[in-house]
Structures are given as C-alpha cells and as structure tokens.
C-alpha cells in the first residue's frame, strides 16, 4: 500500500482522463539503465504525449490513443520488465488497499 501511494504521489501528469496515463511498475526501483532507455523514447512523442521516470515507476502520457502511439509502441520495447496499468486502475487499486 505504501509503495503504491508513493507511485501515485510521483505521477507528474494532471490528465483530465486518467486512462490517458499508463504507469509502468517494476519490482524494486528503477535502474539507471532502465531510466536511460525510458527517457530515450521521448523523441517518439507527438504533441501532448510524454514520458516521465520516477523512483519506482515509468509514467507514459498518451492523451490521443495508446493504440496508435509511436511513443507507446517504443515504451513496450524500452521497458519490457515493467508491467503497465492505466492511472484509473492504479487509483482503484490504491482505494481498495486503503479499505483493507
């Protein structure tokens, strides 16, 4: 629960639609190598898209569509060790954990 709260607190975007942000979780913390790979895909972003790396997660903002996004496609190759969920799902998980 505390780790999830930290991940949500680090989320840098303020999306009007939470499903437009994907959170890539890794076990432990982000390594320097993974950080470099994730930051390198920023060049694939189109207007409005972005990638940000926190201590424990990678945040991918794709407000147009994740399905046609070159940034999202590059993310999958750059961070295969991360499992991604959209921000709406992450918030729901945190809420459920808080109720336990």
């Amino acid at each position: 629960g505390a780790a999830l709260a930290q991940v949500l607190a680090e989320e840098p975007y303020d999306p009007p639609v939470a499903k437009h942000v994907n959170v890539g979780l890794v076990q432990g913390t982000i390594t320097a190598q993974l950080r470099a790979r994730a930051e390198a895909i920023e060049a694939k972003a189109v207007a409005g898209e972005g990638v940000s790396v926190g201590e424990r997660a990678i945040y991918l903002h794709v407000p147009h569509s994740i399905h046609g996004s070159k940034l999202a496609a590059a993310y999958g190759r750059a961070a295969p060790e991360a499992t991604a969920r959209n921000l709406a799902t992450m918030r729901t998980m945190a809420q459920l954990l808080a109720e336990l």
Side-chain angles (χ1 to χ4, degrees), residues 37-91:
R37 290 193 324 256
E39 289 173 348
I41 66 169
E42 184 79 37
K44 301 282 186 187
V46 297
E49 293 184 337
V51 64
S52 180
V53 183
E55 185 179 328
R56 302 181 68 124
I58 301 165
Y59 307 91
L60 188 68
H61 185 237
V62 283
H64 310 297
S65 170
I66 194 163
H67 302 291
S69 170
K70 290 181 182 180
L71 178 64
Y75 167 78
R77 292 186 298 277
E81 62 267 64
T83 181
R85 300 292 181 267
N86 71 39
L87 184 57
T89 299
M90 298 297 292
R91 288 176 176 166

Side-chain angles (χ1 to χ4, degrees), residues 1-2 4-5 8 88-100:
L4 181 55
L8 290 174
T89 299
M90 298 297 292
R91 288 176 176 166
T92 299
M93 288 173 31
Q95 193 173 29
L96 290 171
L97 283 172
E99 294 172 2
L100 292 178

Side-chain angles (χ1 to χ4, degrees), residues 9-63:
E10 287 182 350
E11 189 270 313
Y13 303 105
D14 186 22
V17 180
K19 70 179 182 177
H20 291 168
V21 174
N22 280 293
V23 182
L25 300 170
V26 297
Q27 189 170 15
T29 58
I30 301 290
T31 64
Q33 183 183 30
L34 177 55
R35 177 179 299 278
R37 290 193 324 256
E39 289 173 348
I41 66 169
E42 184 79 37
K44 301 282 186 187
V46 297
E49 293 184 337
V51 64
S52 180
V53 183
E55 185 179 328
R56 302 181 68 124
I58 301 165
Y59 307 91
L60 188 68
H61 185 237
V62 283

